[in-house]
Amino acid sequence: MLFRFASAIALVVFVSLIGTALEKRNLELRRDTIAQRYRTDALCESHASLRARTQQLGAPARLIDDLEAERIPLRVPDRASREEPRRAPLLHWQGPLSGSR
């Protein structure tokens, strides 16, 4: 009878230790997930701010102001890149489709 009682107590202690270990691992994984989500959000905000800054620095109004103030040198090409005038591309028409009637 004492053996049954001791084995029941050992089983309960073993199950509770396993449950505690699983809960601890679950909390560690949640903590890691939250940290990764925080880093992802921080990187997304940084990316958005850098993208906005890039658009501000490359905005046409800013470039035109710099050109007018002669902070950016204006270079005239030596010669035209093409000697012949541009033409619209030719369209290669095929006959009417056979199933369109």
Side-chain angles (χ1 to χ4, degrees):
M1 185 130 170
L2 182 64
F3 177 73
R4 288 183 186 170
F5 179 72
S7 61
I9 293 293
L11 183 64
V12 168
V13 169
F14 180 70
V15 168
S16 65
L17 288 176
I18 295 292
T20 303
L22 289 175
E23 192 67 31
K24 182 179 177 184
R25 178 71 177 143
N26 190 16
L27 288 175
E28 288 175 2
L29 291 174
R30 279 189 188 176
R31 191 178 313 120
D32 291 343
T33 303
I34 290 171
Q36 287 177 357
R37 190 175 299 143
Y38 173 76
R39 284 190 295 250
T40 302
D41 290 344
L43 286 174
C44 285
E45 288 179 15
S46 174
H47 176 51
S49 66
L50 288 174
R51 190 176 188 101
R53 182 70 177 146
T54 302
Q55 288 177 356
Q56 289 173 354
L57 290 175
R62 180 181 169 96
L63 291 176
I64 290 173
D65 291 341
D66 287 343
L67 280 173
E68 289 175 351
E70 297 180 0
R71 285 181 283 217
I72 298 176
L74 182 62
R75 295 187 306 156
V76 178
D78 297 336
R79 62 177 182 85
S81 60
R82 291 179 171 218
E83 299 295 329
E84 58 192 42
R86 290 183 175 232
R87 297 183 294 148
L90 297 177
L91 300 175
H92 300 287
W93 292 99
Q94 295 177 358
L97 298 174
S98 60
S100 63
R101 292 183 184 185

